[in-house]
Amino acid sequence: MTINGKMTNGNGSVNTAMDRVIAGLFLVYFLPLMLVVALLIKFDSRGPVLDRRRRRDENGKLVAELTFRTMTAERAPQGVASQVAAQYTPLGNFLRNSRLDLLPRLFNMLRGEASFAGLLH
C-alpha cells in the first residue's frame, strides 16, 4: 500500500527500513566525496561547512535538514538595519547545480527524518 508516495505496512516501517539501508550504502560510497567537498568549503570561505535548515516533516515535527553550505553571509555596516546580504560562493554555485549540496541529507535519512523520495525533490 502507498500513502503520499510512501510504502507502508500499516506503520511505515518498511519504507523507513529501506531508506536507512539505502542511506547507509550511499554514505559508505559517497563519504570520500563528502570529505573532499567539506574541505573545499572550509578553504573556500569562512563559516560552517554544513547548513541546518529547520523544516516540518509530514507529521508536523520540526527537523534540522542538513545540506552543505553554499552561501556566504556578510553583515551590513554599522548603523544600517540588520540586513544580511547573502550570495552564493563560486563553489556553492557548482554544488547547487550538481546537487552535491544535498549529500548530507543522507544523515537525515539514517535518523529516519527524511525519505529517499524526498531527497530527489
Side-chain angles (χ1 to χ4, degrees):
M1 171 195 273
T2 61
I3 299 174
N4 294 332
K6 290 189 160 198
M7 290 186 350
T8 65
N9 64 352
N11 62 6
S13 61
V14 171
N15 186 51
T16 302
M18 285 183 2
D19 284 341
R20 288 183 175 176
V21 168
I22 290 169
L25 292 172
F26 279 147
L27 267 174
V28 169
Y29 185 77
F30 286 115
L31 192 59
L33 175 62
M34 291 174 70
L35 290 173
V36 169
V37 169
L39 287 172
L40 288 172
I41 291 171
K42 198 64 177 167
F43 291 130
D44 184 48
S45 61
R46 294 175 29 193
V49 171
L50 294 176
D51 184 24
R52 289 180 178 86
R53 295 186 187 129
R54 300 245 181 241
R55 68 167 180 83
R56 296 209 181 266
D57 67 2
E58 65 212 21
N59 299 323
K61 180 181 165 189
L62 205 59
V63 176
E65 184 177 75
L66 297 174
T67 59
F68 282 121
R69 184 176 54 83
T70 57
M71 300 178 102
T72 182
E74 298 175 2
R75 295 192 184 272
Q78 292 275 337
V80 178
S82 63
Q83 299 173 345
V84 176
Q87 59 189 48
Y88 293 110
T89 64
L91 177 62
N93 278 329
F94 171 76
L95 293 175
R96 288 184 64 89
N97 289 334
S98 62
R99 299 189 64 127
L100 289 175
D101 64 321
L102 302 179
L103 282 175
R105 287 191 188 174
L106 292 170
F107 291 110
N108 290 96
M109 289 173 52
L110 267 182
R111 291 189 304 230
E113 299 172 343
S115 173
F116 184 69
L119 180 67
L120 301 175
H121 295 278

mmCIF file of all heavy atoms in Angstrom, residues 3-31:
data_model
loop_
_atom_site.group_PDB
_atom_site.id
_atom_site.type_symbol
_atom_site.label_atom_id
_atom_site.label_comp_id
_atom_site.label_asym_id
_atom_site.label_seq_id
_atom_site.Cartn_x
_atom_site.Cartn_y
_atom_site.Cartn_z
ATOM 1 N N ILE A 3 0.954 5.479 0.628
ATOM 2 C CA ILE A 3 0.288 6.666 1.151
ATOM 3 C C ILE A 3 1.236 7.827 0.944
ATOM 4 O O ILE A 3 2.362 7.809 1.440
ATOM 5 C CB ILE A 3 -0.056 6.511 2.649
ATOM 6 C CG1 ILE A 3 -1.006 5.334 2.850
ATOM 7 C CG2 ILE A 3 -0.633 7.804 3.203
ATOM 8 C CD1 ILE A 3 -1.285 5.015 4.289
ATOM 9 N N ASN A 4 0.773 8.837 0.189
ATOM 10 C CA ASN A 4 1.618 10.001 -0.111
ATOM 11 C C ASN A 4 2.960 9.591 -0.693
ATOM 12 O O ASN A 4 3.991 10.132 -0.345
ATOM 13 C CB ASN A 4 1.834 10.858 1.136
ATOM 14 C CG ASN A 4 0.571 11.502 1.616
ATOM 15 O OD1 ASN A 4 -0.331 11.762 0.830
ATOM 16 N ND2 ASN A 4 0.478 11.761 2.903
ATOM 17 N N GLY A 5 2.953 8.579 -1.548
ATOM 18 C CA GLY A 5 4.181 8.157 -2.204
ATOM 19 C C GLY A 5 5.077 7.292 -1.345
ATOM 20 O O GLY A 5 6.177 6.944 -1.745
ATOM 21 N N LYS A 6 4.628 6.893 -0.145
ATOM 22 C CA LYS A 6 5.434 6.059 0.734
ATOM 23 C C LYS A 6 4.812 4.676 0.852
ATOM 24 O O LYS A 6 3.612 4.541 0.970
ATOM 25 C CB LYS A 6 5.531 6.667 2.134
ATOM 26 C CG LYS A 6 6.357 7.901 2.206
ATOM 27 C CD LYS A 6 6.553 8.256 3.640
ATOM 28 C CE LYS A 6 7.748 9.167 3.758
ATOM 29 N NZ LYS A 6 8.247 9.224 5.103
ATOM 30 N N MET A 7 5.671 3.665 0.810
ATOM 31 C CA MET A 7 5.180 2.308 1.015
ATOM 32 C C MET A 7 4.988 2.098 2.507
ATOM 33 O O MET A 7 5.835 2.456 3.309
ATOM 34 C CB MET A 7 6.188 1.284 0.492
ATOM 35 C CG MET A 7 6.287 1.289 -0.996
ATOM 36 S SD MET A 7 7.313 0.004 -1.703
ATOM 37 C CE MET A 7 8.149 -0.754 -0.383
ATOM 38 N N THR A 8 3.866 1.501 2.871
ATOM 39 C CA THR A 8 3.617 1.252 4.287
ATOM 40 C C THR A 8 3.066 -0.145 4.475
ATOM 41 O O THR A 8 2.522 -0.757 3.571
ATOM 42 C CB THR A 8 2.595 2.254 4.867
ATOM 43 O OG1 THR A 8 1.343 2.038 4.223
ATOM 44 C CG2 THR A 8 3.030 3.679 4.689
ATOM 45 N N ASN A 9 3.221 -0.652 5.667
ATOM 46 C CA ASN A 9 2.568 -1.889 6.072
ATOM 47 C C ASN A 9 1.756 -1.591 7.327
ATOM 48 O O ASN A 9 1.694 -2.382 8.231
ATOM 49 C CB ASN A 9 3.588 -3.001 6.306
ATOM 50 C CG ASN A 9 4.523 -2.694 7.454
ATOM 51 O OD1 ASN A 9 4.515 -1.583 7.986
ATOM 52 N ND2 ASN A 9 5.325 -3.657 7.832
ATOM 53 N N GLY A 10 1.179 -0.439 7.368
ATOM 54 C CA GLY A 10 0.385 -0.025 8.497
ATOM 55 C C GLY A 10 1.063 1.053 9.321
ATOM 56 O O GLY A 10 0.426 1.948 9.806
ATOM 57 N N ASN A 11 2.395 0.964 9.480
ATOM 58 C CA ASN A 11 3.088 1.963 10.298
ATOM 59 C C ASN A 11 4.295 2.577 9.609
ATOM 60 O O ASN A 11 5.043 3.317 10.212
ATOM 61 C CB ASN A 11 3.488 1.368 11.644
ATOM 62 C CG ASN A 11 4.447 0.211 11.486
ATOM 63 O OD1 ASN A 11 4.911 -0.092 10.401
ATOM 64 N ND2 ASN A 11 4.732 -0.452 12.591
ATOM 65 N N GLY A 12 4.528 2.261 8.354
ATOM 66 C CA GLY A 12 5.614 2.881 7.608
ATOM 67 C C GLY A 12 6.977 2.284 7.869
ATOM 68 O O GLY A 12 7.983 2.817 7.425
ATOM 69 N N SER A 13 7.048 1.175 8.588
ATOM 70 C CA SER A 13 8.347 0.621 8.957
ATOM 71 C C SER A 13 9.118 0.069 7.759
ATOM 72 O O SER A 13 10.347 0.103 7.757
ATOM 73 C CB SER A 13 8.192 -0.458 10.026
ATOM 74 O OG SER A 13 7.393 -1.516 9.538
ATOM 75 N N VAL A 14 8.417 -0.419 6.741
ATOM 76 C CA VAL A 14 9.103 -0.939 5.548
ATOM 77 C C VAL A 14 9.833 0.197 4.844
ATOM 78 O O VAL A 14 11.008 0.072 4.484
ATOM 79 C CB VAL A 14 8.102 -1.623 4.591
ATOM 80 C CG1 VAL A 14 8.768 -1.973 3.268
ATOM 81 C CG2 VAL A 14 7.515 -2.850 5.241
ATOM 82 N N ASN A 15 9.164 1.323 4.649
ATOM 83 C CA ASN A 15 9.768 2.469 3.982
ATOM 84 C C ASN A 15 10.964 3.003 4.779
ATOM 85 O O ASN A 15 12.008 3.288 4.219
ATOM 86 C CB ASN A 15 8.733 3.574 3.802
ATOM 87 C CG ASN A 15 9.268 4.720 2.986
ATOM 88 O OD1 ASN A 15 9.798 4.508 1.899
ATOM 89 N ND2 ASN A 15 9.151 5.918 3.516
ATOM 90 N N THR A 16 10.802 3.117 6.086
ATOM 91 C CA THR A 16 11.884 3.620 6.932
ATOM 92 C C THR A 16 13.086 2.692 6.889
ATOM 93 O O THR A 16 14.227 3.156 6.784
ATOM 94 C CB THR A 16 11.392 3.792 8.382
ATOM 95 O OG1 THR A 16 10.274 4.685 8.384
ATOM 96 C CG2 THR A 16 12.479 4.346 9.275
ATOM 97 N N ALA A 17 12.859 1.405 6.950
ATOM 98 C CA ALA A 17 13.964 0.439 6.908
ATOM 99 C C ALA A 17 14.692 0.517 5.566
ATOM 100 O O ALA A 17 15.926 0.510 5.526
ATOM 101 C CB ALA A 17 13.440 -0.970 7.155
ATOM 102 N N MET A 18 13.938 0.604 4.478
ATOM 103 C CA MET A 18 14.563 0.709 3.153
ATOM 104 C C MET A 18 15.362 2.006 3.037
ATOM 105 O O MET A 18 16.472 2.001 2.506
ATOM 106 C CB MET A 18 13.500 0.637 2.048
ATOM 107 C CG MET A 18 12.964 -0.751 1.842
ATOM 108 S SD MET A 18 11.771 -0.984 0.500
ATOM 109 C CE MET A 18 11.578 0.548 -0.293
ATOM 110 N N ASP A 19 14.805 3.110 3.529
ATOM 111 C CA ASP A 19 15.512 4.394 3.482
ATOM 112 C C ASP A 19 16.825 4.324 4.253
ATOM 113 O O ASP A 19 17.842 4.833 3.806
ATOM 114 C CB ASP A 19 14.649 5.510 4.055
ATOM 115 C CG ASP A 19 13.554 5.954 3.097
ATOM 116 O OD1 ASP A 19 13.675 5.670 1.889
ATOM 117 O OD2 ASP A 19 12.589 6.579 3.561
ATOM 118 N N ARG A 20 16.812 3.687 5.401
ATOM 119 C CA ARG A 20 18.027 3.598 6.222
ATOM 120 C C ARG A 20 19.083 2.717 5.565
ATOM 121 O O ARG A 20 20.276 3.032 5.618
ATOM 122 C CB ARG A 20 17.685 3.110 7.613
ATOM 123 C CG ARG A 20 16.970 4.186 8.413
ATOM 124 C CD ARG A 20 16.679 3.766 9.810
ATOM 125 N NE ARG A 20 16.107 4.901 10.535
ATOM 126 C CZ ARG A 20 15.682 4.831 11.765
ATOM 127 N NH1 ARG A 20 15.771 3.701 12.434
ATOM 128 N NH2 ARG A 20 15.178 5.897 12.349
ATOM 129 N N VAL A 21 18.671 1.633 4.954
ATOM 130 C CA VAL A 21 19.631 0.761 4.260
ATOM 131 C C VAL A 21 20.240 1.495 3.068
ATOM 132 O O VAL A 21 21.458 1.493 2.875
ATOM 133 C CB VAL A 21 18.952 -0.554 3.814
ATOM 134 C CG1 VAL A 21 19.842 -1.334 2.857
ATOM 135 C CG2 VAL A 21 18.599 -1.406 5.024
ATOM 136 N N ILE A 22 19.393 2.141 2.284
ATOM 137 C CA ILE A 22 19.877 2.898 1.118
ATOM 138 C C ILE A 22 20.819 4.018 1.569
ATOM 139 O O ILE A 22 21.889 4.211 0.996
ATOM 140 C CB ILE A 22 18.692 3.473 0.316
ATOM 141 C CG1 ILE A 22 17.929 2.347 -0.373
ATOM 142 C CG2 ILE A 22 19.178 4.479 -0.725
ATOM 143 C CD1 ILE A 22 16.602 2.773 -0.972
ATOM 144 N N ALA A 23 20.439 4.744 2.609
ATOM 145 C CA ALA A 23 21.272 5.841 3.113
ATOM 146 C C ALA A 23 22.621 5.324 3.590
ATOM 147 O O ALA A 23 23.661 5.932 3.318
ATOM 148 C CB ALA A 23 20.558 6.579 4.239
ATOM 149 N N GLY A 24 22.628 4.201 4.294
ATOM 150 C CA GLY A 24 23.885 3.630 4.770
ATOM 151 C C GLY A 24 24.812 3.238 3.636
ATOM 152 O O GLY A 24 26.014 3.517 3.664
ATOM 153 N N LEU A 25 24.248 2.619 2.605
ATOM 154 C CA LEU A 25 25.059 2.222 1.452
ATOM 155 C C LEU A 25 25.601 3.442 0.710
ATOM 156 O O LEU A 25 26.779 3.479 0.332
ATOM 157 C CB LEU A 25 24.229 1.353 0.501
ATOM 158 C CG LEU A 25 23.848 -0.034 1.034
ATOM 159 C CD1 LEU A 25 22.873 -0.716 0.081
ATOM 160 C CD2 LEU A 25 25.084 -0.882 1.259
ATOM 161 N N PHE A 26 24.754 4.429 0.500
ATOM 162 C CA PHE A 26 25.196 5.642 -0.194
ATOM 163 C C PHE A 26 26.235 6.413 0.626
ATOM 164 O O PHE A 26 27.169 6.981 0.066
ATOM 165 C CB PHE A 26 24.021 6.554 -0.531
ATOM 166 C CG PHE A 26 23.268 6.164 -1.779
ATOM 167 C CD1 PHE A 26 21.908 6.376 -1.862
ATOM 168 C CD2 PHE A 26 23.915 5.603 -2.855
ATOM 169 C CE1 PHE A 26 21.201 6.028 -3.009
ATOM 170 C CE2 PHE A 26 23.230 5.247 -4.002
ATOM 171 C CZ PHE A 26 21.880 5.454 -4.083
ATOM 172 N N LEU A 27 26.073 6.437 1.948
ATOM 173 C CA LEU A 27 27.056 7.135 2.779
ATOM 174 C C LEU A 27 28.428 6.487 2.672
ATOM 175 O O LEU A 27 29.437 7.183 2.574
ATOM 176 C CB LEU A 27 26.603 7.156 4.236
ATOM 177 C CG LEU A 27 25.827 8.377 4.661
ATOM 178 C CD1 LEU A 27 25.315 8.229 6.078
ATOM 179 C CD2 LEU A 27 26.643 9.628 4.531
ATOM 180 N N VAL A 28 28.476 5.167 2.700
ATOM 181 C CA VAL A 28 29.759 4.471 2.554
ATOM 182 C C VAL A 28 30.384 4.812 1.203
ATOM 183 O O VAL A 28 31.574 5.096 1.111
ATOM 184 C CB VAL A 28 29.572 2.949 2.703
ATOM 185 C CG1 VAL A 28 30.817 2.194 2.283
ATOM 186 C CG2 VAL A 28 29.196 2.599 4.136
ATOM 187 N N TYR A 29 29.572 4.828 0.166
ATOM 188 C CA TYR A 29 30.075 5.086 -1.183
ATOM 189 C C TYR A 29 30.515 6.543 -1.367
ATOM 190 O O TYR A 29 31.548 6.819 -1.978
ATOM 191 C CB TYR A 29 28.987 4.720 -2.204
ATOM 192 C CG TYR A 29 29.436 4.826 -3.636
ATOM 193 C CD1 TYR A 29 30.242 3.859 -4.206
ATOM 194 C CD2 TYR A 29 29.056 5.916 -4.410
ATOM 195 C CE1 TYR A 29 30.671 3.950 -5.518
ATOM 196 C CE2 TYR A 29 29.469 6.020 -5.724
ATOM 197 C CZ TYR A 29 30.269 5.037 -6.273
ATOM 198 O OH TYR A 29 30.693 5.138 -7.571
ATOM 199 N N PHE A 30 29.716 7.486 -0.851
ATOM 200 C CA PHE A 30 29.967 8.910 -1.091
ATOM 201 C C PHE A 30 30.781 9.600 0.003
ATOM 202 O O PHE A 30 31.083 10.788 -0.126
ATOM 203 C CB PHE A 30 28.649 9.669 -1.276
ATOM 204 C CG PHE A 30 27.994 9.417 -2.595
ATOM 205 C CD1 PHE A 30 26.771 8.765 -2.655
ATOM 206 C CD2 PHE A 30 28.591 9.822 -3.771
ATOM 207 C CE1 PHE A 30 26.162 8.530 -3.872
ATOM 208 C CE2 PHE A 30 27.995 9.589 -4.988
ATOM 209 C CZ PHE A 30 26.775 8.929 -5.044
ATOM 210 N N LEU A 31 31.153 8.909 1.072
ATOM 211 C CA LEU A 31 31.877 9.545 2.155
ATOM 212 C C LEU A 31 33.185 10.202 1.704
ATOM 213 O O LEU A 31 33.449 11.342 2.101
ATOM 214 C CB LEU A 31 32.129 8.563 3.293
ATOM 215 C CG LEU A 31 32.629 9.189 4.580
ATOM 216 C CD1 LEU A 31 31.629 10.215 5.106
ATOM 217 C CD2 LEU A 31 32.880 8.116 5.620
#
